[in-house]
Amino acid sequence: MHQVFSYKDRLQLFIKIVVPILITQLGLFSMNLFDIMMTGNVGASDLAGVAIGSGLWVPVYTGLSGILLSITPIVAQLVGAKKTEGVPFSITQGVYVAFAMSILVILMGALLINPILSGMNLEEGVRHVAKYYLVALGFGIIPLFVYTVIRCFIDALGHTRTSMIITLLSLPINVLLNYLLIFGKLGLPALGGIGSGVASALTYWLIMIISLYIVLKKKPFTKYPLFKKLYPVSFSKWKEILLIGVPIGLSIFFETSIFSAVTLLMSSFDTVTIASHQVALNFASLLYMIPLSISMALTILVGFEVGAGRIHDAKQYTIMGVVSAVLLSSICAVFLYFFRAEVAYLYTKDPEVIALTTAFLLYAIFFQLSDAIAAPIQGALRGYKDVNVTFMLAFVSYWIIGLPIGYLLANFTEFGAFGYWIGLICGLAAGAVGLSFRLSILQKRYMRTNVPIK
């Protein structure tokens, strides 16, 4: 990555960074998307089981992998400040943290999966699929977290196209494994929804192996001698990673877990409602990949410019990101309004699920603009290493505002299950407003002093 001087060059660099990230995120998301879509063709119980399992897994994965995302601004600022000798040490410590978190997740999962699922009002078939879907995913946790660290290193250098290629190589293999294991082809057992978890775990191992090969053998990554020296554990570096990463992880956890909490609260409704809710939420999450990718690009670009002390350039990239996200998300919202029935049909052929999903997707339209503002601003703030206020805003917006409103509307009005979605919309909007104010304050302070506020 390099410094550019004109607005046109900044726009070109922004596009060069963000497009591969978007393709990568779509590829990674597609693994879960294909899990849902292919499982939906087995039956409503398998679809609901994967929905519950995914509802438990996603906040854990996104929250903890969010901690590892601290590697991106750390490396980006090191490179921007031309202190590249610290990069291999930072990556090694990041891998150590990834291993530690993986072991913790596996142990906690072994203790808590049964009590959590037993406490939910689920049909036996749904509970069985959810449990063993999660068990299968557990075998892929270590490679998934290690890959997250490697990808953060690759992306922080501006080589987001490499991450895209890794994902595109692994995606068709994941789809093939899904087909073989879900439906029982080539003599393999038909595992239904559980098979999608097995396929995902195998794919996580694949992308870790490919990414390690690339950073160890291919230029320009060999410029940074990763893993050539066995560094001892450095708790001071862990502290830096965690001081930046934990607020990022908590912020992501509060955001993703609110959706998972709603999915779990939906267990009081029938199987058709659970399945319809999950389909609509899954597609809304697919559209969220656009502002999320812009957010990740802004972390790289803003971090690089802040590390070099070019605060004005960082501000220009932020404006560029927010405007792009709003325009693209508006287009997606229009598409969703006119083609929501066709979207539902992609997931299932069950007429009841299609009808209810179409209604849920109307509410998903209102997610788009709030996400288009909030996500890029979060990414920019991470580039500044400003993360503490972000996670507090996420907690208040989603758990203090969004969830209570949703619960009241769902249980004490005629909105029913749709009430939870109205609550989510309120929480997302509140988060977007709060983050906008935070960024404005931070940029003004930086422009005056070039020193971050606490």
Side-chain angles (χ1 to χ4, degrees):
M1 199 155 58
H2 56 278
Q3 181 184 5
V4 294
F5 300 95
S6 70
Y7 186 85
K8 179 181 177 181
D9 290 339
R10 288 191 188 94
L11 182 59
Q12 289 177 341
L13 181 58
F14 173 76
I15 294 172
K16 180 183 176 181
I17 297 291
V18 79
V19 170
I21 291 178
L22 175 59
I23 295 173
T24 301
Q25 288 303 118
L26 290 173
L28 291 172
F29 181 84
S30 294
M31 294 182 189
N32 180 255
L33 179 67
F34 282 117
D35 285 353
I36 300 293
M37 291 176 66
M38 296 176 79
T39 302
N41 288 291
V42 177
S45 292
D46 281 83
L47 177 58
V50 172
I52 295 297
S54 179
L56 292 169
W57 163 244
V58 167
V60 172
Y61 160 62
T62 54
L64 291 178
S65 66
I67 295 174
L68 301 174
L69 292 181
S70 61
I71 298 297
T72 300
I74 289 172
V75 172
Q77 290 200 13
L78 285 172
V79 174
K82 302 187 185 305
K83 298 178 180 178
T84 55
E85 68 280 357
V87 172
F89 176 71
S90 296
I91 298 303
T92 300
Q93 298 304 318
V95 170
Y96 291 162
V97 174
F99 268 99
M101 292 195 312
S102 299
I103 299 303
L104 178 63
V105 172
I106 292 169
L107 292 175
M108 294 296 291
L111 293 172
L112 297 176
I113 286 177
N114 279 328
I116 290 174
L117 292 176
S118 297
M120 298 171 63
N121 183 28
L122 299 173
E123 298 173 6
E124 183 57 37
V126 174
R127 183 181 295 109
H128 175 81
V129 171
K131 175 182 176 179
Y132 288 100
Y133 171 81
L134 290 169
V135 170
L137 284 177
F139 288 95
I141 289 175
I142 291 176
L144 181 59
F145 283 171
V146 172
Y147 166 69
T148 300
V149 174
I150 302 303
R151 183 191 166 188
C152 286
F153 163 67
I154 293 171
D155 289 352
L157 299 182
H159 297 283
T160 54
R161 186 170 176 270
T162 302
S163 298
M164 176 189 74
I165 292 171
I166 293 171
T167 302
L168 292 181
L169 286 172
S170 62
L171 182 59
I173 297 175
N174 178 252
V175 173
L176 175 62
L177 291 172
N178 263 346
Y179 177 72
L180 296 176
L181 294 168
I182 291 175
F183 301 107
K185 303 298 181 179
L186 298 181
L188 295 172
L191 300 177
I194 299 169
S196 66
V198 177
S200 294
L202 292 173
T203 305
Y204 296 152
W205 282 99
L206 175 67
I207 60 177
M208 183 195 72
I209 292 170
I210 294 174
S211 64
L212 282 173
Y213 173 79
I214 289 174
V215 299
L216 293 176
K217 299 294 184 180
K218 300 296 180 181
K219 295 182 179 180
F221 307 109
T222 51
K223 174 184 175 183
Y224 305 88
L226 298 186
F227 312 123
K228 299 297 184 183
K229 178 180 178 181
L230 184 62
Y231 293 100
V233 171
S234 170
F235 289 111
S236 62
K237 192 64 180 183
W238 282 37
K239 181 180 179 181
E240 180 188 1
I241 292 172
L242 295 175
L243 281 176
I244 300 171
V246 169
I248 294 176
L250 286 174
S251 178
I252 296 173
F253 175 78
F254 289 144
E255 183 173 353
T256 56
S257 63
I258 191 70
F259 293 96
S260 298
V262 169
T263 297
L264 298 179
L265 288 170
M266 285 280 188
S267 64
S268 62
F269 294 91
D270 58 35
T271 299
V272 170
T273 302
I274 296 173
S276 301
H277 160 79
Q278 181 61 27
V279 167
L281 189 57
N282 186 264
F283 192 77
S285 300
L286 173 63
L287 296 181
Y288 176 65
M289 293 302 103
I290 294 174
L292 177 62
S293 299
I294 292 173
S295 171
M296 297 175 74
L298 287 180
T299 298
I300 298 167
L301 291 164
V302 171
F304 179 74
E305 299 297 347
V306 169
R310 296 185 291 266
I311 306 305
H312 178 72
D313 291 1
K315 185 176 181 180
Q316 284 202 335
Y317 279 123
T318 302
I319 295 171
M320 191 182 298
V322 173
V323 171
S324 300
V326 170
L327 288 174
L328 291 172
S329 294
S330 297
I331 294 171
C332 290
V334 172
F335 167 84
L336 189 56
Y337 178 79
F338 287 106
F339 296 100
R340 59 189 186 278
E342 288 78 4
V343 168
Y345 189 76
L346 289 173
Y347 286 83
T348 182
K349 305 301 184 289
D350 187 317
E352 287 186 271
V353 176
I354 290 174
L356 195 54
T357 298
T358 301
F360 275 119
L361 285 173
L362 276 174
Y363 292 91
I365 292 172
F366 296 97
F367 286 4
Q368 301 307 307
L369 285 177
S370 294
D371 280 334
I373 297 170
I377 292 176
Q378 281 184 325
L381 289 171
R382 290 168 190 161
Y384 286 99
K385 293 185 180 177
D386 184 80
V387 291
N388 292 316
V389 174
T390 301
F391 95 79
M392 288 187 285
L393 282 172
F395 175 72
V396 172
S397 299
Y398 303 129
W399 287 90
I400 304 300
I401 297 174
L403 187 60
I405 290 175
Y407 183 83
L408 291 173
L409 291 175
N411 291 278
F412 300 101
T413 73
E414 296 180 355
F415 284 109
F418 299 117
Y420 286 117
W421 282 64
I422 297 173
L424 290 174
I425 292 166
C426 294
L428 288 169
V433 172
L435 288 167
S436 299
F437 277 112
R438 175 59 179 175
L439 180 64
S440 177
I441 294 170
L442 182 69
Q443 287 178 333
K444 290 177 181 177
R445 184 68 62 88
Y446 255 101
M447 294 297 286
R448 287 200 304 267
T449 66
N450 199 23
V451 176
I453 58 177
K454 299 298 182 181

